[in-house]
Amino acid sequence: MATLSLSDETLRNLVQGPGDVEWRYEMRRECQEILPGLLLGPFQASKSLETLKSLGVTHIVCIRDQKEAFSVRPRFPDHFQYLVLDVEDNEEQNVIRLFPEADQFIQQALNQGGKVLVHCNGGISLSPAFVVMFVMRHCQLSWEDALHLVQNRRYCISPNGGFLTQIKEYESIYKAKAAVANFPVAPMQRVVSRRKRDDEEDDSRSVFRFSRVQ
């Protein structure tokens, strides 16, 4: 599992958040940098080509409810790489199932030295849920720390109750995958498994020969 190369001290500072930011209401219409190269905001932040270029954005994840598709859509496909996800903003929507596609897109963009804006319509519930899971997985944080890290930069986020439950569930999912990745099958176990397969194949061939003789 790929993780971001951040020191423990850097992570602590990120979770605590900047102490000198005075949040203003109009800032909810802007995007904020959550991690180096990862921005979170509303659809409003994706509508100005000049602003996006000034921020160095190269990739955009557009998360929207299907009924918003006529307005919340890629505006500058000739200038940025887009990933569009149709997600219902309700408590029954399974965001864990949809997260891997966004995760891969964001990670590849960052690996290429790009800068990613993740947005939904308001930047309050949908897109923050995906960003919190990304932060949790790649910084290897608890769901509480990941949520605080994101909220300390974009104060207005408020994932709905269903999303918040899934964010909590995702912690055990990503930790289980990390544990499997960190403890691959030992060479001896592979040998035993191979021998077992060979024995099973020999047995099946014997049964086949016996059937032929009958």
Side-chain angles (χ1 to χ4, degrees), residues 128-158:
F130 283 81
V131 170
V132 169
M133 287 195 287
F134 182 88
V135 168
M136 191 194 316
R137 178 175 186 261
H138 291 277
C139 294
Q140 297 185 301
L141 296 174
S142 67
W143 73 266
E144 296 103 326
D145 284 346
L147 182 63
H148 290 157
L149 189 155
V150 178
Q151 205 159 36
N152 284 338
R153 281 152 188 78
R154 183 166 175 79
Y155 288 23
C156 60
I157 73 165
S158 181

Side-chain angles (χ1 to χ4, degrees), residues 32-197:
Q32 289 76 37
E33 187 166 48
I34 308 302
L35 293 174
L38 178 61
L39 304 169
L40 170 64
F43 176 56
Q44 185 75 23
S46 73
K47 294 169 67 174
S48 169
L49 179 60
E50 183 180 353
T51 299
L52 292 170
K53 285 189 170 183
S54 70
L55 292 170
V57 170
T58 57
H59 297 67
I60 297 177
V61 181
C62 174
I63 305 173
R64 66 192 183 187
D65 195 301
Q66 181 60 46
K67 61 179 176 286
E68 302 169 334
F70 70 98
S71 59
V72 182
R73 56 185 173 78
R75 290 295 179 101
F76 310 107
D78 294 336
H79 294 271
F80 310 105
Q81 292 187 46
Y82 282 88
L83 170 66
V84 179
L85 296 176
D86 289 323
V87 185
E88 293 184 19
D89 191 1
N90 62 54
E91 299 197 359
E92 287 72 42
Q93 174 67 64
N94 187 330
V95 291
I96 292 177
R97 179 177 58 82
L98 296 169
F99 172 67
E101 188 175 4
D103 178 42
Q104 183 179 24
F105 181 85
I106 296 169
Q107 185 61 38
Q108 286 180 348
L110 296 179
N111 288 344
Q112 295 166 6
K115 202 166 189 177
V116 189
L117 168 64
V118 182
H119 77 81
C120 56
N121 196 354
I124 305 296
S125 178
L126 272 176
S127 53
F130 283 81
V131 170
V132 169
M133 287 195 287
F134 182 88
V135 168
M136 191 194 316
R137 178 175 186 261
H138 291 277
C139 294
Q140 297 185 301
L141 296 174
S142 67
W143 73 266
E144 296 103 326
D145 284 346
L147 182 63
H148 290 157
L149 189 155
V150 178
Q151 205 159 36
N152 284 338
R153 281 152 188 78
R154 183 166 175 79
Y155 288 23
C156 60
I157 73 165
S158 181
N160 71 43
F163 292 171
L164 191 58
T165 297
Q166 292 179 69
I167 286 170
K168 296 175 183 179
E169 292 173 351
Y170 187 70
E171 180 179 346
S172 59
I173 293 173
Y174 99 77
K175 285 184 176 178
K177 290 181 178 180
V180 171
N182 290 333
F183 295 96
V185 178
M188 183 55 69
Q189 288 179 285
R190 288 198 293 269
V191 170
V192 171
S193 298
R194 191 162 55 246
R195 285 176 178 170
K196 184 178 180 181
R197 286 198 304 272

Side-chain angles (χ1 to χ4, degrees), residues 194-208:
R194 191 162 55 246
R195 285 176 178 170
K196 184 178 180 181
R197 286 198 304 272
D198 292 343
D199 291 342
E200 289 173 349
E201 289 174 1
D202 288 342
D203 290 342
S204 64
R205 284 196 291 269
S206 297
V207 170
F208 178 71

